[in-house]
Amino acid sequence: MAGEPQADCLFCKIVAGDVPADIVRESATTVAFRDINPQAPTHVLVVPRAHYRDAASLAAAEPHIMADLLCEAAAVAVDEKVDETGYRVVFNTGSGAGQTVWHTHAHVLGGRGMEWPPG
Ligand code: 5GP
Ligand code: ZN
């Protein structure tokens, strides 16, 4: 069923507590934890507890959870003190764009200058 945990999904395992992670925030619908391979001084992933393959799938099925995700991303930026200097929220979607984990996740990146366009 849509949104149900997937046995072979790394982020479902982190949400369930079966794989350890450095969790920085939790809400009723989301979990935020530090990326294992940080690309900036602040690099936190915010994921829904529900399993969807990408951001658009989550938004289409459960838009209120997508809103929660974005609010939690902003809260992470405040917690990490990068809200005033600026931060980037990234949803890699599809393998050609760099998606490697098929459970919706927002990258929250900050604490250094950001180039535009991104690589
Ligand atoms: P994607 O490439 O799908 O946009 O992002 C997946 C992210 O998950 C990558 O930045 C990668 O470093 C991170 N990642 C992969 N495995 C783990 C893990 O076991 N723990 C944590 N905390 N992050 C992970
Ligand atoms: Zn999952």
Side-chain angles (χ1 to χ4, degrees):
M1 209 171 88
E4 293 300 311
Q6 301 294 302
D8 59 349
C9 173
L10 173 64
F11 290 174
C12 282
K13 290 177 186 166
I14 288 177
V15 167
D18 295 337
V19 167
D22 185 357
I23 293 172
V24 296
R25 290 186 68 86
E26 292 191 75
S27 76
T29 56
T30 66
V31 179
F33 52 90
R34 295 195 191 283
D35 196 291
I36 205 167
N37 182 25
Q39 302 301 312
T42 290
H43 188 173
V44 171
L45 303 174
V46 188
V47 310
R49 293 184 185 277
H51 177 94
Y52 291 94
R53 74 190 312 273
D54 56 32
S57 303
L58 172 64
E62 306 208 52
H64 62 289
I65 299 183
M66 191 61 179
D68 293 345
L69 198 74
L70 290 170
C71 289
E72 284 297 302
V76 166
V78 171
D79 291 349
E80 298 282 314
K81 301 184 170 53
V82 297
D83 55 316
E84 288 186 4
T85 49
Y87 62 96
R88 191 167 285 176
V89 180
V90 175
F91 293 96
N92 293 327
T93 304
S95 51
Q99 187 174 2
T100 59
V101 178
W102 302 90
H103 178 130
T104 312
H105 52 282
H107 296 259
V108 181
L109 297 150
R112 65 165 169 80
M114 298 280 166
E115 300 295 323
W116 192 263

